[in-house]
Amino acid sequence: MRNRKIGFLLLSGLMIGPILGSGIIILPPAVYETAGNYAIFAWVIMLGLSLIFALMFGKLSLLIPGDSGVPLAVERAFGTQIKNLSAIFFLLAVCFGPIAVTGTAGHYLQLLTNQSFFNEKWLALGILCFVYIILTRRIADVGKFAFFMSSFIVVTLIVGSIHTIITVDGSFTLSNPITVSDFGESLLLLFWALIGWEVIGSYSLEVKNPERTIPRAVVLSFSIIAIVSLTVAFAFQWIHSKNGNMMDQSLAPLLQSLFGSWSTPIISSITIALCISTVLLVIGAVSRLIADQAKNGLLPSWLSFKNKNNVATRSLFSLFGIHIIVFILYFNDFLSIQTLVAIANAFFLCNALLGVLACLRLFDSVFFKIGSFILAICFLGILLFSSPVILILIILVSVYFIWLQKRDSKQHEKILQVGNE
């Protein structure tokens, strides 16, 4: 069966849910608690940076297309060994992150079903297996499934938030001053919402007419994400400014005016859909990365195999084995969700940081160079909040691959010198 490539609508469906992520549920209350009604301005600033980030990686995926995504750009900018470092960061992030995400989905699924005899960890395993089954399908089928979930998330949040703004008695004032420190802290919280755009490059070979499809998908995805984020953030502020901070700090009140008692189950359903969308995107991306690395001889060649649907099945099943091991550690309480998130976030940030630095070196545009520099400083600043143990590991691994790159560069120079003589 011929593998069908996807257009900009299905590519957007793959991107919207994961980039919104659990942040659209967690961040509006957290940022409002920090910045009050000034939080909406923090959202606007962050969405401006997110637009730069999205355009940057959309252009990068066209400049250097391939299954490896960001590591290919890193190789062009800094060399093969730094590419390998980027690939390792992304792979490590995806070894740990999906278990944390499916663990969260399992918790909300247990709340949704209200069946305490179903252990949330077993539900998490069921969700993980479901995701892998979906990923064995053609990219067009995966895209349709992701598009359906993204549509459900977007329509529900926008309609519920707008209905709340129109029908609920709220207010929006800037009478209370805010400190620079509090506003800065709100921006720091929102920087997590940037992560995700860098994965688009991993799907650059799966789309029809990339030069047209990818820019359109980036613009559509960003527009929808911006509308959802600003609408939800403003609606949350609208009802809390009037009624004080003692109200429910979840997003359920945003849906109560329209959905009544169904608001909490719907928020749980949205959270589960966001989690599944995120895991679909990152596992699909890293399975392509593994296959590409294997094709280039950096991993065992048998991992490069793709079936008739163009799915890297051996890479996918290898990842599944890794996830089962991590799940066993999580199931037996050796690793908590918080620990898994901390590990994954640190490595995702490292991969994004290398991608941004590659953009800084590769792009001639002053606009992109300034944007890359700002994002690099911010990502590095956030990374410094990671666990000391994780930071030490990152530094050791980075120093080792930088040394390998310098060694390779010297050997290459020697070969050139001998050739010239």
Side-chain angles (χ1 to χ4, degrees), residues 43-270:
W43 280 95
V44 170
I45 291 171
M46 197 50 52
L47 285 168
L49 290 174
S50 182
L51 177 59
I52 298 172
F53 197 49
L55 293 173
M56 195 183 302
F57 280 94
K59 184 175 181 180
L60 203 61
S61 66
L62 291 175
L63 181 65
I64 313 170
D67 286 337
S68 286
V70 169
L72 286 174
V74 173
E75 181 180 35
R76 178 80 64 88
F78 303 113
T80 302
Q81 295 298 343
I82 308 303
K83 171 200 174 183
N84 295 339
L85 175 63
S86 175
I88 286 172
F89 283 148
F90 190 35
L91 179 58
L92 286 172
V94 177
C95 284
F96 294 96
I99 301 302
V101 176
T102 53
T104 302
H107 172 70
Y108 277 94
L109 183 57
Q110 186 185 55
L111 293 176
L112 185 63
T113 57
N114 199 27
Q115 300 293 329
S116 58
F117 57 86
F118 280 122
N119 186 299
E120 65 181 53
K121 292 182 177 179
W122 286 117
L123 291 174
L125 179 61
I127 291 170
L128 181 69
C129 293
F130 172 72
V131 166
Y132 271 98
I133 291 170
I134 294 294
L135 285 170
T136 59
R137 307 289 299 172
R138 294 174 301 168
I139 187 64
D141 296 330
V142 177
K144 287 175 185 176
F145 180 73
F147 182 78
F148 169 77
M149 289 195 298
S150 295
S151 300
F152 163 68
I153 293 162
V154 166
V155 171
T156 305
L157 287 177
I158 288 181
V159 171
S161 297
I162 291 175
H163 189 271
T164 295
I165 294 170
I166 294 171
T167 60
V168 175
D169 184 20
S171 66
F172 180 80
T173 62
L174 299 174
S175 55
N176 296 324
I178 184 174
T179 65
V180 174
S181 174
D182 285 343
F183 193 74
E185 185 179 345
S186 69
L187 289 174
L188 183 63
L189 285 169
L190 283 172
F191 263 107
W192 295 110
L194 288 178
I195 304 300
W197 291 107
E198 69 276 14
V199 180
I200 192 171
S202 299
Y203 293 88
S204 57
L205 299 182
E206 301 282 2
V207 299
K208 296 179 283 189
N209 191 5
E211 290 77 12
R212 185 181 180 191
T213 298
I214 291 177
R216 291 176 71 188
V218 168
V219 170
L220 177 62
S221 300
F222 174 79
S223 300
I224 292 174
I225 289 166
I227 291 169
V228 172
S229 299
L230 291 176
T231 305
V232 169
F234 184 80
F236 187 87
Q237 292 183 204
W238 179 255
I239 60 176
H240 283 70
S241 296
K242 182 87 172 183
N243 299 292
N245 291 327
M246 298 306 292
M247 289 181 61
D248 187 349
Q249 292 298 299
S250 73
L251 293 191
L254 269 62
L255 306 182
Q256 281 176 352
S257 64
L258 184 59
F259 298 106
S261 61
W262 285 93
S263 59
T264 299
I266 288 173
I267 284 293
S268 296
S269 300
I270 288 173

